[in-house]
């Protein structure tokens, strides 16, 4: 009983000694860990993360068991592995540094800011596709999600502009130089236009489908992207997700489908990560 009382006394004294600087330190480290986990999930690198954890455990065990040569080799492998990870995640790290350098730090800290930008991008895309459907202007628009379409972006022309209906219609205007390729939207912005996409290898596709539809299905087979296709022959709007094509969509159904695929389930109601951490710490210390 005395041991339990002593434990709680020491724990209370330790918690009482925590200051605002310590709380800020904890929040920063927790946020960095959260972002690293989020980065791993977005880049589909779960297996790499598991391999890294196993390697670190093996390194620790070799030190405990005194396996000198094994420990030496593992330490050198870990050192090389850190450099390899930087190279592997170079596109993602570059994107984060670009946001910090351009003053878009708030979008990294606040998920709702990204949701609002995506909501606007969806609205503008639906408006553009409706008008292109009426005029039977062919178009293919790819919304990038977790899987980064680096190779596809490199085949096109960099745009880096906000998504607007007028810009999309101008890109896909029949006499425009970029109208034959795809537009790739990343983080609610038009990253590139005139991009080449991989064609679907499925042999079960209808013969009615042209190259745009096959390309839209193809990129959705190789990634988790959401692809919008406007038919030049019929003006119908279709969406390809996970290799499946949904055709002849009305404007309302099309918009609803995009929102379901691209927006969080509880947009506007989710609290930011930082806010959640602060609120929990405040409850511990009974701060109002």
């Amino acid at each position: 009983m005395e041991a339990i009382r002593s434990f709680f006394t020491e724990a209370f004294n330790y918690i009482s000694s925590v200051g605002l600087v310590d709380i800020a330190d904890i929040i920063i480290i927790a946020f960095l860990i959260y972002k690293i986990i989020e980065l791993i999930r977005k880049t589909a690198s779960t297996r790499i993360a598991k391999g890294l954890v196993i390697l670190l455990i093996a390194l620790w065990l070799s030190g405990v068991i005194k396996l000198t040569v094994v420990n030496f080799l593992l330490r050198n492998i870990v050192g090389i592995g850190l450099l390899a990870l930087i190279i592997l995640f170079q596109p993602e790290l570059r994107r984060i540094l670009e946001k910090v350098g351009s003053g878009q730090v708030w979008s990294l800290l606040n998920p709702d800011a990204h949701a609002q930008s995506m909501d606007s991008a969806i609205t503008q895309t639906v408006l553009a596709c409706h008008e292109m459907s009426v005029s039977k202007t062919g178009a293919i628009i790819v919304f990038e999600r977790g899987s980064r379409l680096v190779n596809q972006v490199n085949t096109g022309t960099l745009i880096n502009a906000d998504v607007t209906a007028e810009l999309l219609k101008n890109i896909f205007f029949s006499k425009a130089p970029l109208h034959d390729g795809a537009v790739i939207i990343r983080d609610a912005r038009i990253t590139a236009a005139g991009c080449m996409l991989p064609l679907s290898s499925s042999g079960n596709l209808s013969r009615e489908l042209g190259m745009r539809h096959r390309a839209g299905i193809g990129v959705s087979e190789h990634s988790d992207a959401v692809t919008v296709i406007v038919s030049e022959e019929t003006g119908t709007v279709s969406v390809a997700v996970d290799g499946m094509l949904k055709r002849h969509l009305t404007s309302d159904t099309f918009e609803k489908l995009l929102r379901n695929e691209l927006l969080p389930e509880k947009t506007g109601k989710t609290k930011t990560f930082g806010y959640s951490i602060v609120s929990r710490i405040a409850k511990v210390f009974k701060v109002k």
Side-chain angles (χ1 to χ4, degrees):
M1 189 67 182
E2 186 63 30
I4 296 175
R5 183 180 301 171
S6 175
F7 170 79
F8 280 106
T9 302
E10 291 180 5
F12 178 77
N13 291 334
Y14 179 77
I15 293 174
S16 300
S17 65
V18 176
L20 292 177
V21 176
D22 299 312
I23 294 174
D25 196 19
I26 292 170
I27 292 173
I28 292 171
I29 295 300
F31 175 75
L32 291 176
I33 293 173
Y34 171 79
K35 280 298 177 183
I36 290 172
I37 294 173
E38 186 180 52
L39 179 64
I40 291 172
R41 291 182 62 187
K42 282 187 174 181
T43 51
S45 302
T46 308
R47 292 182 180 178
I48 296 175
K50 289 179 180 178
L52 183 61
V53 170
I54 293 172
L55 188 63
L56 292 175
I57 292 173
L59 176 63
W60 174 72
L61 287 175
S62 64
V64 172
I65 305 173
K66 306 296 183 183
L67 299 175
T68 308
V69 177
V70 174
N71 186 264
F72 172 77
L73 290 174
L74 289 176
R75 276 191 282 112
N76 282 276
I77 290 173
V78 168
I80 297 172
L82 291 175
L83 179 60
L85 285 175
I86 293 175
I87 296 172
L88 180 66
F89 293 112
Q90 183 265 340
E92 285 73 23
L93 293 173
R94 179 179 177 179
R95 184 165 54 88
I96 292 172
L97 291 175
E98 285 177 350
K99 283 189 175 183
V100 173
S102 60
Q104 298 178 12
V105 182
W106 178 243
S107 64
L108 293 173
L109 302 175
N110 184 14
D112 286 343
H114 176 266
Q116 291 172 4
S117 299
M118 182 58 73
D119 181 83
S120 174
I122 291 171
T123 300
Q124 292 297 312
T125 301
V126 171
L127 178 60
C129 288
H130 173 71
E131 296 184 15
M132 288 189 290
S133 173
V134 173
S135 62
K136 292 186 179 180
T137 302
I140 178 166
I141 303 168
V142 182
F143 284 88
E144 185 186 78
R145 291 198 283 186
S147 303
R148 294 293 166 184
L149 305 175
V150 179
N151 294 333
Q152 288 76 17
V153 168
N154 291 337
T155 63
T157 301
L158 295 179
I159 302 295
N160 191 25
D162 292 334
V163 180
T164 64
E166 294 302 321
L167 179 55
L168 288 174
K169 288 188 294 182
N170 284 335
I171 289 173
F172 290 111
F173 177 63
S174 60
K175 298 186 184 301
L178 301 177
H179 78 280
D180 278 335
V183 163
I184 295 180
I185 296 176
R186 172 186 295 170
D187 295 333
R189 289 177 63 82
I190 298 177
T191 296
C195 301
M196 303 298 293
L197 303 178
L199 297 180
S200 174
S201 57
S202 175
N204 299 322
L205 299 179
S206 171
R207 293 184 179 181
E208 297 177 1
L209 301 179
M211 296 295 285
R212 280 195 179 89
H213 290 85
R214 293 178 183 274
I217 297 171
V219 73
S220 72
E221 289 174 344
H222 291 85
S223 69
D224 62 351
V226 177
T227 309
V228 178
I229 307 106
V230 180
S231 173
E232 188 174 358
E233 288 75 24
T234 63
T236 58
V237 178
S238 307
V239 174
V241 182
D242 296 328
M244 300 296 292
L245 185 67
K246 301 178 181 180
R247 304 176 64 189
H248 306 291
L249 301 174
T250 64
S251 293
D252 291 340
T253 305
F254 171 46
E255 183 172 4
K256 184 177 180 181
L257 194 156
L258 285 185
R259 293 186 184 281
N260 288 340
E261 293 290 341
L262 300 172
L263 290 176
E265 294 182 2
K266 297 180 179 179
T267 303
K269 296 181 180 179
T270 55
K271 296 179 180 178
T272 64
F273 174 79
Y275 179 85
S276 301
I277 294 294
V278 171
S279 62
R280 290 180 183 180
I281 293 174
K283 287 180 181 179
V284 173
F285 290 93
K286 296 182 179 179
V287 177
K288 297 184 179 179

